[in-house]
Amino acid sequence: MRTNIYLVRHGKVHNKSDIFYGRLPLVRLSSEGKEQMKGAGQYLKDKHIIKIFSSNLLRSKQSADIISQVTRCKDVSRTSLITEIKSYMEGMP
């Protein structure tokens, strides 16, 4: 049996201050980012997705939830183990 793994980065975020957001927890998807994730879900819809992994960051959770809805994959796991590294630049323009 063959296993395919699809890697998807979160969609575009709402970042009107144009900061380096890194691991900041409350950065959310923009309207454009939500549409991007719907498009990713449409691409994945016929790929027989059985599990979705997401970091605990809001934008990643939102992205995973949208893909989950579109693909009808209800098995979503969230973990801090796939969160990007911490940077001293977080919150800076």
Side-chain angles (χ1 to χ4, degrees):
M1 182 159 118
R2 189 169 98 172
T3 299
N4 292 315
I5 298 173
Y6 299 91
L7 300 176
V8 178
R9 184 165 166 80
H10 61 77
K12 186 173 182 177
V13 299
H14 178 74
N15 188 6
K16 66 180 178 180
S17 299
D18 200 27
I19 61 169
F20 179 76
Y21 50 85
R23 294 171 79 171
L24 295 176
L26 299 179
V27 177
R28 68 184 186 279
L29 291 180
S30 65
S31 297
E32 181 181 350
K34 291 175 184 177
E35 290 303 314
Q36 290 172 333
M37 291 301 97
K38 287 177 187 174
Q42 286 298 324
Y43 173 80
L44 295 168
K45 191 173 185 175
D46 298 324
K47 306 284 191 229
H48 309 290
I49 304 301
I50 58 171
K51 187 160 186 92
I52 297 172
F53 292 91
S54 166
S55 78
N56 292 318
L57 298 174
L58 177 59
R59 60 195 169 270
S60 297
K61 292 191 290 189
Q62 290 175 309
S63 296
D65 289 346
I66 292 169
I67 291 173
S68 171
Q69 290 169 4
V70 175
T71 61
R72 293 192 164 95
C73 175
K74 301 301 178 203
D75 192 358
V76 179
S77 291
R78 303 186 198 295
T79 177
S80 61
L81 295 174
I82 56 175
T83 303
E84 61 189 277
I85 62 168
K86 187 164 178 63
S87 171
Y88 70 92
M89 301 276 300
E90 284 177 11
M92 298 176 71

